[in-house]
Amino acid sequence: MDKGQAQAVNVTQFIALVKKYSEIDTLTPAIVNEFIERINVHAPDKSSGHRSQQVDIVYNFIGMLPTPKSKKKAA
C-alpha cells in the first residue's frame, strides 16, 4: 500500500468514527480516547510580555490539523 492509499484508508476510518459519534450529548474520556492519539503541551512563552502556550492535538488516523494563531488582546 502506498502513502496515498494509506492516507485514504485513514481518512475513511476517521470519517466512520465521526459518524459513529455524530449526535453525542456528553463528551466522555472513552470518546476522547477514540479521537485523540496524543496532546503535546509546550512550555509557556512570555517573550512578548503576555503569557502564551502552544498546545498541539494529534488525532487518530489523520494527525495534527493546522490551527489559526490566536489573536492577542490589547492590555
Side-chain angles (χ1 to χ4, degrees), residues 4 6-9 12 14 18 21-22 29 33 35 40 43 50-51 54-57 63 65-66 68 72 75:
Q7 187 175 13
V9 168
T12 301
F14 186 77
V18 169
Y21 292 110
S22 64
N33 284 333
F35 277 96
N40 300 325
H50 297 6
R51 185 180 188 276
Q54 180 178 340
V55 177
D56 299 328
I57 301 173
L65 298 176
K72 294 185 179 184

Side-chain angles (χ1 to χ4, degrees), residues 4 9 19 27 35 45-46 52 55 59 64 66 69 73:
V9 168
K19 287 180 179 180
L27 187 60
F35 277 96
D45 176 29
K46 292 175 94 175
S52 64
V55 177
Y59 296 90
M64 190 169 63
K69 296 286 183 187
K73 296 179 183 179

Side-chain angles (χ1 to χ4, degrees), residues 34-49:
E34 282 194 71
F35 277 96
I36 297 175
E37 179 181 325
R38 71 179 182 276
I39 299 173
N40 300 325
V41 179
H42 299 266
D45 176 29
K46 292 175 94 175
S47 62
S48 64

